[in-house]
Amino acid sequence: MTTTGIAITGSGAATPSVLLDNHQLSQLVETSDEWISSRTGIRQRGLATTEVRLSQMAASACQNAIAMAGVQPTDIDLIILATSTADDLFGSASQIQAQIGATKAVAFDLTAACSGFVFGLVTASQFIRNGVYKNVLLVGADILSRWVDWSDRRTCILFGDGAGAVVLQASDRDNLLGFELKSDGSLNSSLNLACQPEPKALTPEITIGQGKYLPITMNGQDIYRFAVKKVPEVVEKALFHSGLTAADVDWLILHQANQRILDAVAQRLKIPPHKVISNLANYGNTSAASIPLALDEVVRSGKIQSGDIIATAGFGAGLTWGSAIFKWGN
């Protein structure tokens, strides 16, 4: 079978209009703008109101990406939704398919938390490389504000809501240059959005667990140490698979978790600060949405040009982490 190449030809984003800044947050828990911004780099975050559906926000990002790519919704063969916070536990990708009118597309959800976009990028590429599909829509979207304990100042300061999407198309050239994916379930307890079923007696002899999820819990120090050690390693491996070095990278777009992590990873990779894309000050940690959100912002500003080499890396719950190296555009 002849292998087909991949081009990433369009991006799009959508974020809530309601913003919560650090000063407002300090009225909910004992914290301050100076404390949050100095330790995380975050100054505000967008929050989805009760009437906002994840599928609606994701669909808006998808429509923007489709428009940039110059394709029609009916051209899309596959939709992958990377999310941990679907509207429906049975999956929300099909709702996006219906909302954007991608009537010929198959759609499914993929869950890998903050690594979801990178895992989705690699998954989408396999369908194109094997010649199965020509046009794939990948969207990372999360509404973590619905699963945050707003009395826990360790976690509530971090998370925001958003969606970001890209269009991948079959191409004569292969612009996905290399990747590396990793998982370590032994570290799962460091970051959780865990199910804790409540006992429910059906008969005197049979008791089942009734579904219920706890708020997000996180060991921040564990996650920081994990990210600073593992993310540079996985980026270097992806670059090796690409036949490149860090010096060849035009832009580094990491999962937007914490500015200290971004700075430490870039320093270990010897990538200068002016090549590091950061927008978490305005959005917070948007999980699977963070990389495509940051990508779309700099593409639309003209900072990223066609042919630029971009190194991405996601890391988070699972624990999962991964890196993908690609050229932007055709």
Side-chain angles (χ1 to χ4, degrees), residues 180-201:
E180 181 82 9
L181 305 179
K182 295 286 186 178
S183 299
D184 186 352
S186 69
L187 300 173
N188 177 262
S189 61
S190 297
L191 180 52
N192 270 317
L193 204 175
C195 178
Q196 187 180 62
E198 294 183 337
K200 181 177 177 62

Side-chain angles (χ1 to χ4, degrees), residues 204-328:
E205 300 83 19
I206 300 173
T207 298
I208 63 162
Q210 194 74 56
K212 181 182 178 183
Y213 284 85
L214 297 174
I216 294 168
T217 60
M218 182 176 74
N219 184 319
Q221 290 183 336
D222 282 355
I223 296 297
Y224 179 85
R225 285 193 294 265
F226 147 74
V228 169
K229 179 182 179 183
K230 296 296 186 181
V231 174
E233 290 177 0
V234 82
V235 173
E236 286 177 337
K237 286 181 179 179
L239 285 167
F240 175 78
H241 296 319
S242 307
L244 302 171
T245 69
D248 298 309
V249 172
D250 293 307
W251 306 103
L252 178 66
I253 306 182
L254 301 175
H255 164 52
Q256 306 285 297
N258 183 306
Q259 189 63 45
R260 286 181 172 181
I261 293 175
L262 270 61
D263 294 341
V265 170
Q267 188 173 10
R268 292 199 179 193
L269 290 169
K270 295 183 171 58
I271 293 177
H274 72 270
K275 291 186 176 183
V276 181
I277 303 302
S278 174
N279 69 353
L280 66 99
N282 296 323
Y283 301 103
N285 179 343
T286 56
S287 191
S290 78
I291 292 173
L293 260 177
L295 174 66
D296 182 65
E297 197 166 67
V298 286
V299 166
R300 291 181 185 274
S301 72
K303 203 169 188 177
I304 287 180
Q305 298 291 314
S306 184
D308 282 0
I309 294 174
I310 300 166
T312 62
F315 51 92
L319 295 180
T320 59
W321 64 106
S323 174
I325 315 298
F326 62 88
K327 283 186 180 180
W328 173 254

Side-chain angles (χ1 to χ4, degrees), residues 1-328:
M1 182 184 292
T2 303
T3 302
T4 305
I6 298 136
I8 303 173
T9 58
S11 66
T15 53
S17 58
V18 174
L19 301 176
L20 179 73
D21 65 28
N22 292 344
H23 295 293
Q24 293 167 304
L25 192 52
S26 67
Q27 298 169 24
L28 296 176
V29 291
E30 187 179 345
T31 188
S32 67
D33 174 63
E34 191 279 330
W35 195 92
I36 298 170
S37 59
S38 65
R39 285 163 177 78
T40 70
I42 299 166
R43 295 194 175 275
Q44 64 179 23
R45 68 284 296 146
L47 303 180
T49 53
T50 51
E51 68 273 9
V52 174
R53 306 275 291 172
L54 179 110
S55 58
Q56 294 169 333
M57 191 166 59
S60 180
C62 288
Q63 288 165 334
N64 292 333
I66 288 170
M68 183 187 290
V71 297
Q72 298 299 315
T74 51
D75 295 324
I76 301 299
D77 302 305
L78 170 66
I79 299 169
I80 299 175
L81 168 63
T83 189
S84 302
T85 55
D87 295 325
D88 183 336
L89 273 179
F90 290 153
S92 292
S94 294
Q95 297 171 45
I96 298 167
Q97 182 245 19
Q99 288 176 35
I100 68 173
T103 53
K104 297 176 183 176
V106 64
F108 63 83
D109 289 26
L110 179 154
T111 300
C114 301
S115 304
F117 180 79
V118 173
F119 277 46
L121 191 67
V122 173
T123 301
S125 73
Q126 306 312 306
F127 288 99
I128 295 176
R129 282 180 169 163
N130 292 332
V132 178
Y133 298 129
K134 292 183 178 180
N135 299 299
V136 179
L137 186 56
L138 169 64
V139 54
D142 271 304
I143 300 181
L144 286 176
S145 63
R146 290 177 181 164
W147 299 100
V148 166
D149 178 357
W150 287 96
S151 65
D152 178 10
R153 68 174 183 172
R154 296 169 301 176
T155 56
C156 75
I157 64 172
L158 300 174
F159 298 104
D161 306 329
V166 294
V167 173
L168 295 88
Q169 294 186 273
S171 172
D172 293 335
R173 302 181 198 171
D174 196 351
N175 286 339
L176 180 59
L177 306 177
F179 65 86
E180 181 82 9
L181 305 179
K182 295 286 186 178
S183 299
D184 186 352
S186 69
L187 300 173
N188 177 262
S189 61
S190 297
L191 180 52
N192 270 317
L193 204 175
C195 178
Q196 187 180 62
E198 294 183 337
K200 181 177 177 62
L202 299 183
T203 72
E205 300 83 19
I206 300 173
T207 298
I208 63 162
Q210 194 74 56
K212 181 182 178 183
Y213 284 85
L214 297 174
I216 294 168
T217 60
M218 182 176 74
N219 184 319
Q221 290 183 336
D222 282 355
I223 296 297
Y224 179 85
R225 285 193 294 265
F226 147 74
V228 169
K229 179 182 179 183
K230 296 296 186 181
V231 174
E233 290 177 0
V234 82
V235 173
E236 286 177 337
K237 286 181 179 179
L239 285 167
F240 175 78
H241 296 319
S242 307
L244 302 171
T245 69
D248 298 309
V249 172
D250 293 307
W251 306 103
L252 178 66
I253 306 182
L254 301 175
H255 164 52
Q256 306 285 297
N258 183 306
Q259 189 63 45
R260 286 181 172 181
I261 293 175
L262 270 61
D263 294 341
V265 170
Q267 188 173 10
R268 292 199 179 193
L269 290 169
K270 295 183 171 58
I271 293 177
H274 72 270
K275 291 186 176 183
V276 181
I277 303 302
S278 174
N279 69 353
L280 66 99
N282 296 323
Y283 301 103
N285 179 343
T286 56
S287 191
S290 78
I291 292 173
L293 260 177
L295 174 66
D296 182 65
E297 197 166 67
V298 286
V299 166
R300 291 181 185 274
S301 72
K303 203 169 188 177
I304 287 180
Q305 298 291 314
S306 184
D308 282 0
I309 294 174
I310 300 166
T312 62
F315 51 92
L319 295 180
T320 59
W321 64 106
S323 174
I325 315 298
F326 62 88
K327 283 186 180 180
W328 173 254

